[in-house]
């Protein structure tokens, strides 16, 4: 595509560009620039792309999108907001791929990963080829790719959606983070179904207040569009038990379908029964009621399943087909994942890293435990400090033995993070061990028959960030090693 043809999609006042080179790729990392690239100079939190304009030119860029003057000899297109322009031009360059997909977006504090994976499984079982974008990886059909952010930048997103279209993917399911919504990473994404899981405290280091955080999540629903396209309808799937759904229902013109357990909803779960091997409940829909039996455990899992069922129903998948998928879902990596090394107690690794998610997991464990509940928990560095004492208090209030330790300290001192946690449990009993491996081993060495250990916070992650170092670290492998040493 030639530069002028691409710039025609901007529909804004920009300086006239005389040269008209052929654009072969779009890039926002100068290291990836090749001959014919259009390079976007993005001013980030730690790096300013304008500082790499000359390097991009030397690597073969034929034009730059900038917000300020740079010293290069190739055409520069100066705009007010490079990120917004990048979203528009990425969508155009890759031929508006999301308009060719059935796109399902899932947002909320907790449950995004589980819900997207359950939807993906149901769609696959129905015979659809799917794509998945989320916290753990991106998937195009059977091929998986690494990700850096839960929701990538608009350029990466549109390129990925284009690859999905080229691979004949029918349905794409993605986690949509509050950061991505606030930063405009999903601008241009034509969502067909938007799902809301829940809203509890998280990311206040970025959003500053719960009001700002709630508003950011709501951008997914206001972005569903204001037209009634009955050939390709839009659906907002809202958790009726969460108060934030009231605000989101006002911000969208899309058809609203609700799900819940306690509040009257379109899709409901009644008579929930939980054991150590799974959960059963009666599914109530406007069409029929059915019994659901699944291996997933916990009330939070029922919510994730209800959200998934509702999203798949509005996507045209028959209820019977949806129900049949649940018997085969064993669980999601790092989400209430059992580590079994032949021990006579239970070890569970879970991604719970917010006060609400930790409380949900521990409440579920206490309903199942025959022995004591032991929890290993930490809080991330360079993140919301206000939740640290809350996490500690929830741990001490719900567990018989609480062990505080490091999560991903990043640039903060682990000892300082632990001190913040300890502020919430002054005068109460707990153990603090800075080294996470030592903390996990301590928990396992002190476990007795029928106890349940929860190792919370990192879930599927296979690394630990300490300072500027990223070390290999997998809670599941560390726990298994400790169990083998014990045996």
């Amino acid at each position: 595509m030639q530069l002028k043809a691409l710039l025609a999609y901007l529909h804004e006042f920009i300086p006239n560009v005389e040269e008209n080179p052929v654009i072969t790729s779009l890039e926002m990392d100068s290291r990836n620039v090749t001959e014919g690239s259009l390079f976007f100079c993005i001013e980030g939190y730690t790096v300013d792309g304008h500082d790499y304009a000359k390097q991009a030119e030397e690597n073969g860029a034929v034009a730059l999108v900038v917000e300020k003057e740079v010293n290069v000899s190739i055409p520069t297109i100066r705009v007010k907001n490079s990120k917004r322009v990048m979203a528009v031009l990425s969508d155009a360059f890759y031929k508006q791929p999301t308009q060719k997909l059935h796109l399902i977006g899932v947002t909320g504090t907790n449950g995004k990963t589980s819900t997207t994976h359950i939807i993906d499984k149901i769609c696959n079982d129905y015979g659809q080829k799917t794509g998945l974008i989320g916290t753990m990886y991106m998937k195009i059909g059977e091929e998986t790719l690494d990700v850096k952010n839960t929701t990538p930048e608009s350029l990466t997103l549109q390129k990925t959606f284009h690859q999905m279209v080229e691979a004949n993917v029918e349905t794409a399911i993605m986690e949509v983070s509050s950061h991505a919504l606030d930063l405009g990473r999903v601008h241009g994404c034509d969502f067909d179904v938007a799902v809301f899981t829940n809203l509890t405290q998280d990311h206040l280091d970025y959003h500053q207040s719960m009001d700002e955080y709630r508003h950011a999540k709501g951008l997914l629903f206001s972005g569903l569009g204001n037209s009634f396209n009955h050939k390709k309808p839009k659906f907002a799937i809202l958790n009726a038990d969460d108060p934030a759904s009231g605000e989101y229902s006002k911000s969208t013109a899309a058809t609203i379908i609700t799900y819940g357990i306690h509040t009257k909803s379109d899709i409901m779960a009644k008579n929930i029964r939980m054991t150590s091997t799974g959960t059963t409940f009666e599914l109530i829909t406007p069409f029929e009621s059915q019994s659901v039996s699944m291996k997933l455990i916990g009330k939070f899992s029922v919510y994730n399943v209800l959200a998934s069922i509702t999203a798949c129903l509005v996507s045209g998948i028959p209820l019977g087909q949806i129900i049949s998928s649940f018997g085969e879902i064993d669980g999601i990596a790092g989400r209430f994942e059992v580590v079994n090394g032949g021990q006579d107690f239970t070890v569970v690794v879970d991604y719970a890293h917010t006060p609400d998610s930790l409380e949900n997991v521990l409440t579920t464990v206490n309903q199942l435990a025959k022995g004591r509940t032991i929890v290993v928990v930490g809080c991330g560095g360079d993140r919301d400090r206000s939740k640290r004492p809350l996490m500690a208090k929830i741990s001490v209030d719900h567990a018989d033995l609480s062990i505080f330790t490091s999560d991903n300290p990043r640039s903060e001192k682990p000892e300082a993070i632990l001190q913040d946690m300890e502020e919430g449990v002054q005068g109460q009993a707990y153990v603090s061990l800075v080294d996470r491996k030592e903390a996990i081993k301590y928990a396992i060495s002190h476990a007795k028959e029928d106890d349940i250990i929860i190792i919370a916070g990192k879930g599927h992650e296979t690394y630990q960030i300490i300072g500027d170092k990223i070390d290999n670290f997998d809670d599941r492998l560390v726990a298994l090693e400790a169990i083998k040493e014990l045996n």
Side-chain angles (χ1 to χ4, degrees):
M1 181 182 285
Q2 290 185 290
L3 178 61
K4 288 186 177 181
L6 186 59
L7 295 180
Y9 287 93
L10 290 180
H11 307 298
E12 66 172 278
F13 295 105
I14 59 173
N16 184 45
V17 180
E18 293 184 3
E19 297 168 74
N20 195 23
V22 174
I23 304 300
T24 59
S25 70
L26 307 183
E27 303 294 347
M28 59 177 292
D29 185 333
S30 60
R31 295 168 296 184
N32 297 332
V33 168
T34 56
E35 192 64 38
S37 294
L38 172 63
F39 178 65
F40 295 91
C41 295
I42 304 294
E43 190 170 351
Y45 292 109
T46 57
V47 176
D48 187 347
H50 294 83
D51 296 337
Y52 297 88
K54 195 66 180 177
Q55 181 181 332
E57 180 184 22
E58 291 169 354
N59 288 350
V62 293
L64 307 179
V65 172
V66 301
E67 293 180 5
K68 53 192 175 186
E69 196 170 320
V70 292
N71 182 27
V72 294
S73 58
I74 55 178
T76 58
I77 302 93
R78 190 163 180 173
V79 299
K80 291 178 287 187
N81 189 317
S82 295
K83 278 198 171 186
R84 291 186 75 94
V85 167
M86 182 170 69
V88 175
L89 297 188
S90 298
D91 176 67
F93 184 81
Y94 289 111
K95 303 175 184 177
Q96 300 190 296
T98 58
Q99 295 189 22
K100 302 166 188 173
L101 296 165
H102 181 70
L103 182 59
I104 301 173
V106 180
T107 196
T109 306
N110 305 311
K112 295 187 296 296
T113 299
S114 295
T115 301
T116 53
H117 279 75
I118 294 169
I119 294 172
D120 181 66
K121 174 72 165 63
I122 294 169
C123 291
N124 283 161
D125 289 348
Y126 189 53
Q128 293 181 350
K129 189 171 185 179
T130 61
L132 184 70
I133 299 175
T135 303
M136 297 196 294
Y137 51 76
M138 291 195 295
K139 179 177 75 72
I140 302 174
E142 299 302 319
E143 180 186 6
T144 58
L145 307 164
D146 291 334
V147 293
K148 294 181 180 178
N149 300 309
T150 297
T151 312
E153 289 286 356
S154 60
L155 175 52
T156 304
L157 268 182
Q158 297 301 334
K159 184 177 181 179
T160 303
F161 288 134
H162 174 70
Q163 292 171 334
M164 290 182 184
V165 171
E166 293 290 296
N168 298 314
V169 164
E170 299 166 78
T171 297
I173 309 107
M174 67 180 294
E175 297 181 46
V176 187
S177 69
S178 58
H179 290 73
L181 288 160
D182 189 65
L183 294 169
R185 291 177 187 164
V186 293
H187 283 169
C189 293
D190 186 18
F191 289 99
D192 297 291
V193 180
V195 180
F196 169 59
T197 59
N198 50 65
L199 187 78
T200 59
Q201 181 176 333
D202 199 14
H203 304 306
L204 296 192
D205 54 307
Y206 176 83
H207 295 290
Q208 301 301 311
S209 72
M210 282 299 294
D211 284 343
E212 289 186 22
Y213 181 40
R214 182 175 62 252
H215 174 72
K217 294 288 188 186
L219 293 174
L220 178 61
F221 303 95
S222 60
L224 278 173
N226 199 46
S227 63
F228 297 118
N229 184 341
H230 300 295
K231 292 183 179 178
K232 200 181 185 210
K234 308 290 187 182
F235 293 94
I237 310 302
L238 302 178
N239 178 354
D241 290 338
D242 194 295
S245 290
E247 179 178 324
Y248 300 156
S249 67
K250 295 177 183 177
S251 65
T252 182
T255 299
I256 296 168
I257 308 294
T258 58
Y259 67 93
I261 295 173
H262 305 293
T263 308
K264 178 66 176 174
S265 312
D266 298 306
I267 308 295
M268 297 193 71
K270 295 288 187 183
N271 302 318
I272 300 170
R273 291 183 173 84
M274 186 172 59
T275 69
S276 59
T277 58
T279 307
T280 62
F281 62 89
E282 185 181 0
L283 177 68
I284 311 296
T285 79
F287 321 108
E288 58 182 303
S289 299
Q290 285 207 25
S291 296
V292 176
S293 179
M294 61 185 192
K295 298 175 185 177
L296 304 176
I297 298 172
K299 189 176 180 181
F300 57 90
S301 293
V302 176
Y303 276 112
N304 295 338
V305 164
L306 288 176
S308 304
I309 289 172
T310 312
C312 291
L313 278 174
V314 302
S315 299
I317 301 178
L319 182 60
Q321 175 65 54
I322 294 171
I323 301 301
S324 67
S325 290
F326 287 114
E328 302 171 10
I329 298 175
D330 292 317
I332 314 300
R335 272 68 178 172
F336 215 83
E337 183 176 353
V338 176
V339 178
N340 191 349
Q343 74 278 13
D344 58 3
F345 52 88
T346 302
V347 177
V348 175
V349 171
D350 194 87
Y351 191 52
H353 61 284
T354 67
D356 182 69
S357 60
L358 181 63
E359 186 169 16
N360 285 338
V361 167
L362 292 178
T363 299
T364 297
V365 166
N366 286 334
Q367 291 174 327
L368 302 173
K370 295 178 182 177
R372 298 175 303 160
T373 297
I374 301 172
V375 62
V376 178
V377 63
C379 293
D382 302 330
R383 298 293 186 268
D384 179 10
R385 289 184 60 183
S386 67
K387 72 180 183 181
R388 294 172 184 173
L390 301 178
M391 295 278 285
K393 182 165 179 22
I394 288 167
S395 171
V396 169
D397 287 350
H398 289 79
D400 299 290
L401 172 60
S402 293
I403 304 159
F404 303 155
T405 189
S406 299
D407 191 288
N408 290 318
R410 300 181 178 89
S411 69
E412 289 193 68
K413 290 185 177 180
E415 294 84 357
I417 297 173
L418 287 175
Q419 286 176 6
D420 285 344
M421 294 180 69
E422 291 165 359
E423 287 288 324
V425 290
Q426 291 184 4
Q428 294 179 271
Y430 58 86
V431 175
S432 280
L433 296 169
V434 171
D435 186 279
R436 190 173 181 89
K437 186 173 185 178
E438 184 183 346
I440 292 172
K441 287 189 173 184
Y442 182 92
I444 287 171
S445 66
H446 284 75
K448 300 175 182 177
E449 185 177 357
D450 292 332
D451 286 351
I452 298 181
I453 299 173
I454 294 292
I455 304 172
K458 291 175 58 60
H460 65 281
E461 293 178 354
T462 57
Y463 58 85
Q464 187 176 32
I465 305 172
I466 303 175
D468 57 0
K469 289 179 58 182
I470 302 178
D471 298 321
N472 292 329
F473 197 100
D474 188 323
D475 284 351
R476 297 161 294 189
L477 296 181
V478 172
L480 195 60
E481 177 187 337
I483 292 166
K484 289 179 178 178
E485 287 180 6
L486 188 67
N487 291 339

